[in-house]
Amino acid sequence: MTSTVVVGGFFGDEGKGKIISYLAIKDDPKIIVRGGAGPNAGHTIVDGDKVYKVRMLPSGFLNKNAKVMIGPGVVINPEVLHNEIQDFGVSGRVFIDKHCGIIEESHLMRDSKGELKEKIGSTGSGTGPANSDRAMRVLKMAKDFDSLSSLIADVPAEINSALSKNQNVLVEGTQGTFLSLWHGTYPFVTSKDVTASGICADVGLGPTKVDEVIVVFKSYVTRVGTGPLAKELSLEDAEKKNWSEFGTVTGRQRRAADFDFDLARRAIMLNGATQISITKLDVVFPECAGKTSYDELSSNAKSFIKNIENELNTPVTIIGTGPSVNDIVDRRI
Ligand code: GTP
Ligand code: IMP
Ligand code: MG
């Protein structure tokens, strides 16, 4: 059996969506299961000339042979989910747990004003208020909605049964380590623990069943919304470096800083990382764009990678060299 958990190492938007879609095709897992907060997440997946913006479905849906599932710890916006199932043509292989919490209109309203919006810079997706209602034991769950009945499965049982049959399972996290409600820059965080342990709890995978934990770092740090960002660059400096990005869900401009070794070291510790993935190497080293083998990388880029491995004492196995799902150097092979 191989279970692989993929989580973000900084503040989300590290490019997990693309790494997960690559692993979903390459490692051919039978199940790709998503943990994390809810539709506050936004992943961008580029496959040939198709660009998918995903908020609710697991990013691994490009593998047509895999079942894609959402664990009971995740809150769901049914409208967003139904639209993505239709738009991305994945009906028949999407399953949600009966205990997934459901976002309703009142949660969207509560998320779009007041402290959450103004102080924390929440995404307005209703995720925080829904998780708050869940803690109060008043949130409705997927099993309470007839419109979701055809999607319901026992997600923890399915993934553990696949592992016991020696099938691969890919577990995807959302957000990033320093947006964790426990370990992040509280109160400027999301409404859940989003480190590897939290993501495993979200889907019902026990600690002894985890084989690999891949922590994804971008080659620089970005943060959307409020909260501390050490050595933050001015917007002009970020633009000069081509590090200026805009959020997938909110369209807000992301703040940027250099790769932060202190944060990265702590992320490796908190997540129990066994491997590191580095994305957007081509943005820092444009000569690496589209490369697919380590030998083809420039010596500056290789030094950057080696330095990360030395400082963090963990192998860098998967490197992103462009937005497309195959713009990858995979050093596991
Ligand atoms: P997560 O929130 O971590 O899942 O990241 P994401 O998938 O949401 O990425 P997001 O859309 O927020 O921003 C990342 C952007 O970078 C997307 O447009 C991706 O297509 C793109 N991207 C991902 N990896 C690479 C890479 O290695 N090189 C380049 N140039 N672009 C990348
Ligand atoms: P909320 O999770 O919508 O309540 O937002 C809380 C904070 O987390 C805000 O600063 C958001 O910008 C940030 N956040 C939540 N989800 C993501 C994500 O997927 N990527 C990046 N930032 C996020
Ligand atoms: Mg994102």
Side-chain angles (χ1 to χ4, degrees), residues 13-136:
D13 306 323
E14 297 92 353
K16 293 181 297 295
K18 175 234 163 120
I19 298 299
I20 290 161
S21 34
Y22 169 79
L23 293 172
I25 293 165
K26 184 76 190 166
D27 296 355
D28 204 20
K30 277 282 172 293
I31 299 178
I32 299 138
V33 59
R34 187 181 142 163
N40 51 350
H43 305 293
T44 308
I45 297 158
V46 182
D47 183 26
D49 54 6
K50 292 211 184 82
V51 179
Y52 302 94
K53 301 271 180 196
V54 186
R55 290 178 56 195
M56 215 54 274
L57 279 180
S59 303
F61 69 87
L62 284 183
N63 178 342
K64 295 192 168 54
N65 301 318
K67 288 183 185 171
V68 292
M69 299 191 164
I70 302 178
V74 180
V75 291
I76 288 178
N77 178 325
E79 194 186 338
V80 176
L81 178 65
H82 282 306
N83 287 344
E84 290 184 3
I85 291 174
Q86 278 205 331
D87 292 351
F88 305 157
V90 286
S91 80
R93 58 188 183 91
V94 177
F95 301 93
I96 65 177
D97 195 84
K98 67 179 178 185
H99 289 153
C100 288
I102 298 301
I103 295 173
E104 297 190 89
E105 201 52 44
S106 63
H107 302 115
L108 294 170
M109 296 264 293
R110 280 154 62 194
D111 212 11
S112 62
K113 56 181 187 218
E115 284 263 298
L116 277 178
K117 189 82 203 157
E118 280 139 36
K119 180 176 162 197
I120 311 299
S122 87
T123 56
S125 60
T127 304
N131 277 324
S132 155
D133 276 4
R134 179 125 194 183
M136 295 301 287

Side-chain angles (χ1 to χ4, degrees), residues 299-318:
S299 53
N300 284 343
K302 283 182 188 156
S303 305
F304 177 75
I305 297 290
K306 274 189 205 131
N307 191 32
I308 289 174
E309 290 188 317
N310 291 340
E311 290 282 335
L312 305 182
N313 206 16
T314 309
V316 173
T317 51
I318 299 169

Side-chain angles (χ1 to χ4, degrees), residues 11-13 40-42 111 116 120-125 128 175 179 189-191 224-226 252:
F11 297 97
D13 306 323
N40 51 350
D111 212 11
L116 277 178
I120 311 299
S122 87
T123 56
S125 60
Q175 286 79 40
L179 289 178
V189 293
T190 191
S191 48
V224 64
T226 54
R252 291 178 297 188

Side-chain angles (χ1 to χ4, degrees), residues 11 89 96 129 166 198 216 240-241 247-248 258 265 268 272 311 329:
F11 297 97
I96 65 177
N166 279 325
V216 184
K240 271 188 220 142
K241 287 178 179 263
T248 311
D258 278 316
R265 219 171 272 117
I268 295 293
E311 290 282 335
V329 173

Side-chain angles (χ1 to χ4, degrees), residues 171-222:
V171 182
E172 60 177 83
T174 59
Q175 286 79 40
T177 300
F178 298 101
L179 289 178
S180 161
L181 184 60
W182 306 156
H183 304 290
T185 54
Y186 187 89
F188 305 102
V189 293
T190 191
S191 48
K192 295 275 302 286
D193 176 29
V194 289
T195 61
S197 317
I199 299 297
C200 288
D202 288 342
V203 304
L205 186 68
T208 56
K209 298 284 168 61
V210 177
D211 295 308
E212 298 289 340
V213 176
I214 303 180
V215 174
V216 184
F217 297 116
K218 192 146 61 183
S219 297
Y220 45 96
V221 184
T222 60

